[in-house]
Amino acid sequence: MNSQGRIMQAGVEFQPNLQNPRKPVRLGVLLLTSSGDGVLLGRQPMLERKPPEFADVGPMSLELAADWVDSMWKDILEANKEHVFLRLNERWRWNLYVRPLRVRTDSEQQDLLTLAKQVYQKFVGEPFHIPVRRRQSARRPRAHHAPRHRPAERIVVPASWLVSEIVKRSSMLGLAATA
Amino acid sequence: MWKKTEKWKPGRLGTASAGYGVQDSETGAVGFAKKQLAHREKLASDLAALVGIAVPVVAVDHVEGIEGLHAISVAHGKESIDLSLMRDRLAGRFNSPEVTDALKRASGMLPFHAWVATQDLKDEHLVVAADEAHAYDIAAIDFAYSLDLSAPDGGPVLPPAGPPSLIVNVDKGIVAATLERIETVTDEQIRAVVQALPIELAGDDEKERLTAGLIGRRGKIREVMQKQGWMP
């Protein structure tokens, strides 16, 4: 998927304590093009083996963070023709929030997923490993739009994180990521 | 001194809710700073404190590097989420008896909204704070569209049209107790709260309109609550 036009970028962060804030935990990135393509890459804490960054986080916030990729993607879909980032800013503005990053205009024809991985590595501070695609079962084909949740390579990602990727195209979703 | 912070940097919202995350360099607390209609945010917060309604504390102050006074709404709890997001993304919690109980305990917001004429009433403006013990505490936020009170007596009091989750979980006893507290607020108390607004945010005429409006509306809420069936 090559990018077309302007690319809006945002980071997703988690601030564990709004009354005594510390360095936020960086969870992922979202890239949307003006033509409506979108990539959301993120890592989520696992409920049973939460990472140290979530050590003193309560169950409500942990539950939200443990599924934020799917949850946020639903909000992107529901934004329909609205300004997607405005919708996300209204919804995600508490401990887990969307942080605007710069708009890119120099990435014409660059593969959006490759670009998103670069932005993820720079923002989160570790490489994003695309989950290995397994051969589809004939009896249980995966839904075309289903997010892929696979543990990334053990060496890179601690066992307490689940890495997730969602890639969509506007022609199927009717997204309007206008600047 | 409040400063923009890198520790909590949510994206900007539209219209009257536009603002940014800031941090108090002395206490470390974070808040959401808004310039538009700041006097309404401050006044609603102070009036809420007067009658025991949960609205986050609002400080009126400057933000370093930005001209003008801001209404800075301090975070509600260590961890919080608005009720709309909880309903859509944490449905199990939203439907739990604990959240229902918290909504019932927040029923006093209904007569309060009627008093200050809040117009933008939706579940997004109810913030749920949670602690480790699964105790929930709900606060009302965003009073940008409130306190537009007509002279000379604040105009007619209308029943609040929301937030929907409050209206379906009304505790009549709590509504009655809150109404009693509103009705016993004295003219002097109302005048003092309004007069405390910085002159940069509200001039003398605006303060007089607000004071007369709040005093005038105070005695009109009971009938509305009774007609709604929200009183014992």
Side-chain angles (χ1 to χ4, degrees):
Chain A
M1 181 181 3
N2 285 338
S3 58
Q4 299 276 328
R6 286 161 53 107
I7 301 174
M8 308 285 288
Q9 301 181 162
V12 178
E13 291 185 341
F14 181 82
Q15 172 49 255
N17 189 335
L18 292 173
Q19 291 180 324
N20 186 18
R22 55 183 193 246
K23 185 180 178 184
V25 185
R26 293 187 163 182
L27 297 178
V29 296
L30 168 64
L31 275 70
L32 292 177
T33 70
S34 53
S35 56
D37 294 327
V39 174
L40 179 59
L41 305 180
R43 55 179 187 156
Q44 302 174 147
M46 300 185 82
L47 286 172
E48 292 77 19
R49 291 176 294 172
K50 55 185 180 182
E53 295 95 323
F54 284 79
D56 56 354
V57 170
M60 181 181 78
S61 298
L62 185 62
E63 186 181 338
L64 190 70
D67 198 32
W68 74 265
V69 176
D70 275 356
S71 293
M72 195 172 286
W73 192 258
K74 286 176 186 167
D75 284 331
I76 292 170
L77 300 185
E78 289 169 9
N80 200 4
K81 297 294 182 186
E82 293 176 49
H83 191 304
V84 172
F85 281 105
L86 183 60
R87 166 75 171 167
L88 293 179
N89 291 344
E90 287 172 351
R91 291 277 279 179
W92 299 87
R93 55 186 174 127
W94 310 104
N95 294 76
L96 201 160
Y97 57 93
V98 177
R99 173 180 182 152
L101 302 175
R102 68 189 178 94
V103 176
R104 298 178 73 115
T105 54
D106 59 344
S107 308
E108 200 168 333
Q109 297 306 313
Q110 187 171 353
D111 177 70
L112 193 61
L113 184 56
T114 302
L115 181 61
K117 287 168 65 179
Q118 293 169 1
V119 176
Y120 179 94
Q121 180 161 1
K122 185 175 180 186
F123 184 71
V124 175
E126 60 187 40
F128 184 88
H129 284 260
I130 301 298
V132 175
R133 293 169 194 265
R134 293 182 182 171
R135 186 165 295 174
Q136 299 296 303
S137 158
R139 285 190 299 172
R140 296 185 60 198
R142 193 175 59 202
H144 183 72
H145 296 304
R148 286 166 284 180
H149 297 293
R150 299 269 199 282
E153 291 177 22
R154 204 173 299 164
I155 297 169
V156 176
V157 182
S160 50
W161 289 103
L162 182 73
V163 173
S164 189
E165 166 209 356
I166 295 182
V167 184
K168 304 287 182 178
R169 283 196 68 88
S170 61
S171 55
M172 300 170 190
L173 301 170
L175 279 180
T178 51
Chain B
M1 170 66 77
W2 293 90
K3 300 177 178 179
K4 282 193 173 183
T5 177
E6 292 294 311
K7 291 182 178 174
W8 186 62
K9 204 169 183 178
R12 289 181 71 92
L13 306 174
T15 61
S17 296
Y20 23 82
V22 294
Q23 185 174 23
D24 186 342
S25 55
E26 291 175 18
T27 67
V30 295
F32 193 74
K34 301 199 297 191
K35 283 181 77 172
Q36 283 186 291
L37 304 167
H39 70 295
R40 294 180 179 177
E41 301 287 356
K42 174 62 175 169
L43 187 53
S45 173
D46 289 355
L47 290 169
L50 203 60
V51 296
I53 295 299
V55 172
V57 170
V58 170
V60 172
D61 208 340
H62 290 274
V63 175
E64 187 182 58
I66 303 173
E67 194 175 339
L69 285 173
H70 293 69
I72 300 162
S73 182
V74 176
H76 177 56
K78 165 179 170 276
E79 297 169 35
S80 54
I81 181 177
D82 72 62
L83 203 67
S84 171
L85 188 60
M86 176 184 262
R87 182 191 60 224
D88 296 345
R89 303 294 175 242
L90 299 175
R93 280 180 192 277
F94 177 78
N95 293 313
S96 69
E98 290 84 1
V99 170
T100 300
D101 285 348
L103 283 164
K104 288 182 183 295
R105 290 198 305 275
S107 295
M109 289 175 190
L110 292 170
F112 181 73
H113 283 312
W115 186 28
V116 301
T118 316
Q119 295 174 48
D120 196 7
L121 291 161
K122 48 192 180 184
D123 283 352
E124 286 86 340
H125 292 166
L126 293 175
V127 182
V128 189
D131 63 21
E132 293 282 351
H134 299 265
Y136 297 102
D137 182 37
I138 296 177
I141 59 163
D142 204 336
F143 289 86
Y145 296 104
S146 70
L147 291 160
D148 189 12
L149 312 180
S150 57
D153 65 349
V157 171
L158 300 173
S165 293
L166 272 188
I167 287 183
V168 298
N169 287 290
V170 174
D171 184 310
K172 296 178 181 179
I174 289 177
V175 170
T178 306
L179 178 58
E180 196 165 320
R181 290 198 296 275
I182 293 172
E183 289 175 336
T184 52
V185 171
T186 65
D187 293 4
E188 290 70 28
Q189 285 176 303
I190 292 173
R191 195 171 299 280
V193 169
V194 175
Q195 283 300 322
L197 291 171
I199 195 72
E200 298 97 311
L201 296 186
D204 289 340
D205 290 348
E206 172 71 352
K207 286 181 178 178
E208 188 51 43
R209 185 182 65 83
L210 287 166
T211 302
L214 288 164
I215 290 171
R217 294 174 69 86
R218 181 186 53 195
K220 304 178 195 170
I221 308 167
R222 180 173 292 272
E223 185 182 355
V224 172
M225 295 295 114
Q226 285 171 334
K227 278 186 179 171
Q228 290 299 111
W230 292 343
M231 294 286 283

